[in-house]
Amino acid sequence: MKRHNILLLLLLLTLSNLAQGQRNHNLDVAKNLDIFNQVYKNLDLIYVDTLNPNEVISTGIKAMLRSLDPYTEYYPESETKNLKMMLTGKYAGIGSLIRYHQKLKRVVVDEPYEGMPAATAGLKKGDIILSIDDSLVTEKDVSYVSSHLRGDAGTNFVVKVQRPSTGKKMSFKLTRQTIKLPELPYYGILEETSPDARQQSTAAPKIGYINLNQFTEGCAKEVRRAFVDLKKQGATALVFDLRNNGGGSEMEAVDIVNLWVGKGQTIVENRGKISQANHSYMTRLEPVDTLMPLVVLVNGETASASEITSGALQDLDRGLILGTRTYGKGLVQVPLDMPYNSNLKVTTSKYYIPSGRCIQAINYRRDGSGGYRERVPDSLTHVFYTRAGREVRDGGGIKPDVEVRNDTIPNIAYYLSASGQDSTEVMFDWVVDYISRHPTIPSPKEFHITDDDFADFKQCVVRSGFTYDPVSQKQLKELVSTAKAEGYYEQAKEAFGLLESKLKHDVATDIDKHEDILRQILELDIIAAYYYQAGSIEAGLKYDNQLREAIRLLQSPEEYQKLLTPKKTKEAAQSIALPKKQTAPVTLKKKPVTTIFDAIA
């Protein structure tokens, strides 16, 4: 009886402390809201200039959210279209990339999308945008021009451009339409086979390839359609490319995994502070193929929903993950309607994939200096196990089963090709000129620029006065500065001078040294102007070392299976089970909020 009374007393004290803590929290909330209200009222009343309430309050809200995680964001009415585009991949406009031309100081057309108003009207890469209706845009930046090209679907406008090849000014009447960025820009049968496979067997598998670049509404249906079509074409293995895929809808990720795993399996769980944020997503349909060998390509820009997809396939031992470690976004956001047509995208939970791990890589709480804390070190991550018993870890994105780094781009190629890095714009202008002189080109698989073409490009670069700073020279300057500060420079001055002469670059020599990669960049840029994104992706596959390794593995069944087999059999890991929840289960009578809004991972 005495022990019973002690336990009862401890329970009462605990409940009392919880209630007191809640009261203190509510008091702090009310107090600080009152302070915020009074600060603004006084500013509005006595500040020397008239305040813009929309701007000041919006700034205050966004500053508050910056103290949280990087994905909780406020969208005033003027910005809600951006959120809608992120959720659906749709916007109303002309369907073209535009860019700022550093040499001309004008906004130009960069890449029209296939079948969209810009392409069908006849706008071409390099066209200089002069005006939109009666609004002159020659002195405007990309953001301004973009906002005026977009609008309500069905509205008409006239855009005036100057074609650089002829100098002729041309007017085009365009009708804005709903633009949905292609989430699945290319799929097909790969024709390349590795030398090892050709030596080992004459019956190499027929390998399909699917490139998915975002998880927007309906993308799972597109992937299913592409996969079924590849099977009809005879594909017996698949490469699924999720590199540079920033994610999107969780449910789309689950439905894509469902193509290759059975019905009724839990793929991801959301766990948050409130029961409404908790939700389990399970496969709902019969799979298309549970046996076909599968390699998923990932890199550092593979994030959120694409990490759910690749991580679940890894946890379920359904395929091999190849590439480099993924981004590591393990947080889930839900958009909430706010007053006056504004919106709040708020992080409500973390997601956990089948092994039970959360792969959030950044400690997202602020470090006091305005930045986010460092990535979770490997030493602080925890071991989990796949269905077959292979070791995997949380806290750092999805670590691939086979790590293959992509080829690095040399410094000269980066400065020549990256928008805004070369003030001469010599590569962009050369490509535009090439297009103007060639009405057609061969297919993406067959097209190559000639030796004479590359020699002409090289001379154009040299004549343009193009310069860039190699990394080695920057580091040498830093070393010289450090040596001077520490008093070692004078005694090593001769050695520094000799090293500087050795590192001094010559643009023509550097172009010759990196001819192969420069040819690739030029060819892919040209192909995109004729065959759009699909053609550029198809042509780029022949240069892809990560894809080559994926093909090699799919053509080596024994090695593929060995990589899916755990090094040590662990009795505790024979079946997969998510750890016990730390929060209450979903008990809502209505649909959970995650299914109402379609959570963003």
Side-chain angles (χ1 to χ4, degrees):
M1 178 64 75
K2 186 176 180 181
R3 184 182 178 191
H4 175 76
N5 291 337
I6 291 173
L7 291 174
L8 182 60
L9 179 61
L10 289 173
L11 179 60
L12 290 172
L13 286 172
T14 300
L15 292 174
S16 176
N17 288 335
L18 288 173
Q20 181 62 40
Q22 186 62 42
R23 282 195 295 271
N24 290 341
H25 174 77
N26 292 339
L27 179 62
D28 286 342
V29 171
K31 179 177 71 175
N32 284 286
L33 285 175
D34 189 34
I35 291 171
F36 183 86
N37 190 38
Q38 289 300 318
V39 167
Y40 182 79
K41 281 185 175 180
N42 281 284
L43 285 173
D44 196 41
L45 181 66
I46 64 175
Y47 185 66
V48 64
D49 296 323
T50 301
L51 298 182
N52 180 332
N54 294 328
E55 181 180 335
V56 174
I57 297 297
S58 181
T59 300
I61 293 172
K62 291 181 178 181
M64 172 177 64
L65 299 182
R66 280 199 299 272
S67 69
L68 306 177
D69 68 279
Y71 311 112
T72 296
E73 296 178 287
Y74 169 69
Y75 294 83
E77 183 179 8
S78 60
E79 298 177 18
T80 52
K81 287 183 179 180
N82 296 334
L83 177 62
K84 184 177 180 182
M85 178 183 168
M86 183 180 67
L87 287 171
T88 65
K90 299 176 183 177
Y91 68 95
I94 66 169
S96 176
L97 294 178
I98 59 175
R99 61 175 282 178
Y100 190 78
H101 194 288
Q102 297 290 325
K103 184 178 180 181
L104 298 174
K105 306 301 180 187
R106 298 284 186 271
V107 176
V108 300
V109 174
D110 189 0
E111 185 180 337
Y113 299 137
E114 185 175 12
M116 296 293 106
T120 55
L123 288 173
K124 296 185 179 297
K125 184 183 183 76
D127 283 349
I128 304 163
I129 302 175
L130 304 177
S131 65
I132 300 170
D133 280 337
D134 295 328
S135 177
L136 198 66
V137 298
T138 51
E139 303 299 325
K140 304 299 183 180
D141 60 15
V142 169
S143 177
Y144 181 92
V145 176
S146 177
S147 66
H148 282 67
L149 290 173
R150 294 185 182 186
D152 295 327
T155 56
N156 301 316
F157 69 100
V158 175
V159 61
K160 181 179 286 187
V161 303
Q162 183 175 4
R163 186 142 292 170
S165 57
T166 62
K168 183 180 178 182
K169 294 181 180 179
M170 311 166 71
S171 294
F172 296 88
K173 185 176 181 180
L174 292 94
T175 301
R176 296 180 180 93
Q177 71 179 57
T178 299
I179 308 296
K180 191 174 190 300
L181 303 178
E183 64 273 322
L184 201 159
Y186 176 76
Y187 75 92
I189 297 292
L190 299 172
E191 296 181 356
E192 180 179 348
T193 57
S194 69
D196 291 343
R198 288 196 295 268
Q199 292 173 7
Q200 294 172 11
S201 172
T202 56
K206 201 169 186 179
I207 299 173
Y209 171 87
I210 297 175
N211 182 298
L212 181 71
N213 61 21
Q214 55 189 327
F215 283 77
T216 49
E217 294 175 3
C219 71
K221 292 180 180 179
E222 290 298 307
V223 176
R224 175 180 286 268
R225 179 186 59 79
F227 183 54
V228 169
D229 187 33
L230 289 173
K231 283 175 67 70
K232 288 179 180 178
Q233 295 182 50
T236 55
L238 179 71
V239 177
F240 188 39
D241 195 344
L242 293 179
R243 290 173 295 182
N244 303 310
N245 186 318
S249 166
E250 268 191 306
M251 199 61 240
E252 296 292 335
V254 174
D255 286 347
I256 287 174
V257 174
N258 196 177
L259 296 175
W260 303 298
V261 304
K263 181 179 178 181
Q265 298 194 50
T266 299
I267 301 302
V268 60
E269 282 194 4
N270 295 346
R271 304 180 198 163
K273 184 170 66 176
I274 60 174
S275 60
Q276 292 95 323
N278 298 335
H279 189 67
S280 295
Y281 288 93
M282 303 176 70
T283 51
R284 304 172 295 169
L285 307 171
E286 293 300 328
V288 177
D289 192 315
T290 60
L291 299 176
M292 181 184 288
L294 170 66
V295 173
V296 182
L297 301 181
V298 299
N299 63 8
E301 299 303 315
T302 301
S304 66
S306 55
E307 290 177 294
I308 291 173
T309 302
S310 54
L313 291 170
Q314 184 180 57
D315 284 355
L316 297 170
D317 300 294
R318 181 56 189 89
L320 289 176
I321 312 303
L322 185 148
T324 56
R325 183 175 292 195
T326 63
Y327 183 84
K329 179 179 181 287
L331 304 176
V332 179
Q333 291 74 48
V334 170
L336 301 175
D337 290 332
M338 294 285 109
Y340 303 102
N341 299 317
S342 60
N343 208 289
L344 181 67
K345 178 167 67 71
V346 57
T347 297
T348 57
S349 56
K350 295 180 180 179
Y351 69 74
Y352 297 80
I353 51 180
S355 64
R357 55 182 170 146
C358 176
I359 50 84
Q360 176 65 26
I362 300 288
N363 186 343
Y364 53 83
R365 291 289 184 178
R366 292 281 176 168
D367 60 8
S369 64
Y372 291 100
R373 293 174 185 162
E374 295 295 324
R375 293 176 67 94
V376 177
D378 286 344
S379 60
L380 296 181
T381 60
H382 306 89
V383 173
F384 293 78
Y385 297 99
T386 70
R387 169 170 288 175
R390 295 184 298 142
E391 283 193 6
V392 288
R393 286 186 171 269
D394 66 356
I398 304 298
K399 184 178 180 181
D401 303 305
V402 180
E403 184 170 6
V404 179
R405 296 192 174 276
N406 210 349
D407 294 332
T408 56
I409 182 171
N411 228 26
I412 187 171
Y414 169 75
Y415 277 94
L416 279 168
S417 61
S419 177
Q421 296 301 319
D422 173 25
S423 60
T424 70
E425 296 279 9
V426 60
M427 178 176 278
F428 183 86
D429 289 346
W430 189 87
V431 169
V432 170
D433 181 63
Y434 184 97
I435 294 167
S436 71
R437 292 184 285 105
H438 295 80
T440 62
I441 61 171
S443 70
K445 290 182 180 179
E446 298 172 346
F447 172 73
H448 292 285
I449 60 173
T450 65
D451 291 342
D452 287 342
D453 290 331
F454 189 79
D456 179 64
F457 167 72
K458 175 182 172 181
Q459 290 303 313
C460 286
V461 174
V462 173
R463 288 196 304 266
S464 74
F466 165 80
T467 59
Y468 74 104
D469 294 323
V471 174
S472 56
Q473 284 195 345
K474 287 184 178 180
Q475 292 177 341
L476 177 61
K477 288 178 182 178
E478 292 173 1
L479 182 60
V480 168
S481 179
T482 302
K484 287 180 178 179
E486 294 181 349
Y488 299 126
Y489 178 72
E490 289 302 323
Q491 64 191 59
K493 187 174 182 179
E494 185 177 342
F496 277 124
L498 181 62
L499 183 58
E500 184 177 11
S501 66
K502 294 289 185 182
L503 294 177
K504 194 169 185 178
H505 73 282
D506 176 81
V507 170
T509 301
D510 290 348
I511 290 174
D512 290 336
K513 186 186 299 182
H514 301 293
E515 179 177 344
D516 288 347
I517 186 66
L518 289 170
R519 277 180 176 269
Q520 292 175 29
I521 294 170
L522 289 169
E523 288 173 4
L524 296 183
D525 211 9
I526 291 168
I527 288 169
Y530 295 87
Y531 297 102
Y532 303 99
Q533 192 177 10
S536 182
I537 291 173
E538 181 185 11
L541 296 179
K542 58 178 173 280
Y543 305 117
D544 194 332
N545 67 311
Q546 291 176 329
L547 178 64
R548 281 195 294 272
E549 178 62 13
I551 292 171
R552 190 191 70 77
L553 285 172
L554 290 170
Q555 293 173 338
S556 308
E558 290 184 4
E559 185 176 355
Y560 174 88
Q561 197 57 47
K562 184 178 179 181
L563 288 166
L564 286 172
T565 304
K567 294 179 180 178
K568 295 180 181 179
T569 303
K570 297 183 182 292
E571 185 176 339
Q574 291 307 303
S575 62
I576 254 179
L578 288 159
K580 187 177 181 180
K581 295 182 182 179
Q582 302 300 311
T583 50
V586 177
T587 57
L588 291 180
K589 293 182 180 179
K590 60 182 181 179
K591 283 186 176 181
V593 70
T594 45
T595 57
I596 294 171
F597 292 109
D598 198 6
I600 309 160

